[in-house]
Amino acid sequence: MTDKELDPALQKIVAAQATGEDEEDIEIPGWWVERLHAGYRQMLKIDKLLYDSKTKEQRIRVFENPTFGRVLTLDDILQTTERDEFIYHEMMAHVPMLAHGAAHSVLIIGGGDGGVLREVVKYRAVGRIVQVEIDAEVIEFSKTYLPMISDGAFDDPRYELVVADGARYVAEAEETFDVIIVDSTDPVGPGVVLFSEEFYRNCKARLAEGGVIVTQNGVPFTQADELVHTMSVFRKLFVDHTCYTACVPGYAGGALAIGWGTNDTELRAVPLEVLKRRYEAEKLKTRYYTPEVHKAAFALPKYIKDLIP
Ligand code: SAM
């Protein structure tokens, strides 16, 4: 392919490499570049930049892309997009909620875009939802620039927002929860502590009898260490530890792993018929989650199963 055919964005990378400039540092005008994995780039065209701000925690950007719609990135790592967010948020919320079947109290760690919260407020038996988000600005701008993701859930009367480090919250709180959903960034910046053994131990202390925790655990094909680490800690903490998967197009590299930990071995064994009854009873409207997908998500490809000690 001759230079003149090479996309101008890539020409910039080629030119930088020719001069020995570290490709990691160059910004490509009009493009967002994710550099999460060695020698592996994901790029999205920025049709319109809607928000770009450095908080004390992270750089927040929201832009419009012709394929993914509005895209949220934190420290240049893709968090969620308007087009594919339903996959991730439905699987993070409905698998633990329908497996538990009678959750009254839910703790969301992170999740500043409000997508997990939007799915949790659909459960009428839930009386209390606490969200611990370290960066209030993520919530504020999500309400403005990504309102379709929270869809008004931040106004739910059962909802309480705690602006704090989730690791500190679970260490100091007394309350217990039936379901804990760790909707964290990857283990970078403020998100690092949400992958620590101490954090998981304190989450366990916050779990009510029969409760379950699920965790955003990265794409095993490119981030195997994340899952291996979480599962090696969950193995010490829970009778039932595993993960389930969902394919989220914006999370480059293949299936996303969602960590699962509970001391109630019945939760993962809930029969399909029961899940169907619970799903229908809640009158849920979903676009990815079905009870069949719920059960199938725990059937792991061997390369992922082999990562779980
Ligand atoms: N779905 C995304 C993913 O899979 O990467 C995560 C989305 S959500 C935007 C991640 C949230 O975690 C952000 O709002 C970020 O501010 C929050 N966060 C990061 N570290 C945190 C911490 N230590 N305590 C609480 N929230 C944290």
Side-chain angles (χ1 to χ4, degrees):
M1 177 187 280
T2 63
D3 254 6
K4 71 173 182 315
E5 291 160 7
L6 197 61
D7 183 298
L10 295 182
Q11 283 178 24
K12 203 161 162 37
I13 290 181
V14 171
Q17 283 168 335
T19 58
E21 182 188 354
D22 183 349
E23 178 267 333
E24 293 270 338
D25 302 332
I26 59 172
E27 290 232 350
I28 298 174
W31 288 82
W32 162 79
V33 185
E34 182 176 79
R35 298 177 164 97
L36 199 51
H37 313 301
Y40 179 8
R41 300 289 171 260
Q42 172 170 234
M43 293 170 65
L44 293 180
K45 190 140 183 3
I46 300 176
D47 273 355
K48 189 174 173 201
L49 183 62
L50 299 169
Y51 190 90
D52 187 352
S53 153
K54 187 98 175 72
T55 72
K56 67 180 176 40
E57 299 300 339
Q58 51 212 341
R59 178 185 185 184
I60 303 174
R61 277 205 281 184
V62 180
F63 58 87
E64 288 187 349
N65 171 270
T67 301
F68 283 88
R70 289 193 174 186
V71 178
L72 163 65
T73 68
L74 295 178
D75 285 342
D76 275 340
I77 297 172
L78 190 139
Q79 299 299 306
T80 196
T81 83
E82 184 181 0
R83 284 284 315 285
D84 71 2
E85 58 84 15
F86 68 95
I87 300 171
Y88 174 80
H89 293 127
E90 289 179 14
M91 289 302 279
M92 282 291 278
H94 298 309
V95 171
M97 291 298 288
L98 289 174
H100 186 286
H104 175 75
S105 55
V106 179
L107 173 61
I108 301 170
I109 305 277
D113 49 55
V116 166
L117 177 63
R118 177 196 70 212
E119 295 304 312
V120 169
V121 299
K122 292 177 180 175
Y123 289 81
R124 287 157 299 171
V126 168
R128 177 154 167 72
I129 309 163
V130 175
Q131 178 169 17
V132 185
E133 165 56 58
I134 199 166
D135 193 339
E137 196 165 331
V138 176
I139 294 196
E140 284 321 305
F141 86 72
S142 292
K143 287 179 185 173
T144 310
Y145 295 99
L146 298 164
M148 71 300 282
I149 293 187
S150 55
D151 194 23
F154 288 121
D155 300 328
D156 191 291
R158 299 166 291 174
Y159 172 70
E160 178 193 348
L161 172 63
V162 174
V163 179
D165 175 351
R168 184 152 177 200
Y169 176 85
V170 292
E172 295 174 354
E174 303 280 309
E175 195 171 352
T176 59
F177 298 87
D178 299 309
V179 172
I180 297 179
I181 301 173
V182 184
D183 180 9
S184 71
T185 46
D186 289 292
V188 293
V192 172
V193 289
L194 301 184
F195 290 80
S196 70
E197 178 161 349
E198 184 189 2
F199 169 67
Y200 291 138
R201 284 189 178 283
N202 287 323
C203 283
K204 180 184 176 184
R206 300 280 67 76
L207 265 186
E209 183 76 21
V212 57
I213 178 174
V214 297
T215 57
Q216 187 282 104
N217 242 126
V219 172
F221 185 76
T222 48
Q223 300 167 293
D225 294 350
E226 238 175 83
L227 183 64
V228 170
H229 167 71
T230 300
M231 288 297 112
S232 61
V233 177
F234 274 25
R235 183 165 179 263
K236 292 187 271 187
L237 298 178
F238 300 109
V239 172
D240 182 22
H241 72 287
T242 186
C243 72
Y244 57 99
T245 64
C247 285
V248 186
Y251 299 154
L256 173 80
I258 300 172
W260 167 276
T262 179
N263 281 328
D264 183 342
T265 53
E266 292 304 305
L267 297 191
R268 193 154 54 100
V270 172
L272 177 61
E273 286 318 308
V274 173
L275 288 176
K276 283 182 176 176
R277 267 204 311 278
R278 290 176 180 173
Y279 180 80
E280 278 139 30
E282 292 294 346
K283 297 186 174 47
L284 292 173
K285 296 272 178 286
T286 52
R287 295 174 54 208
Y288 184 91
Y289 178 93
T290 67
E292 293 81 359
V293 164
H294 177 139
K295 297 295 276 183
F298 284 97
L300 300 176
K302 189 154 183 328
Y303 84 96
I304 295 180
K305 198 172 170 60
D306 287 347
L307 297 174
I308 300 175

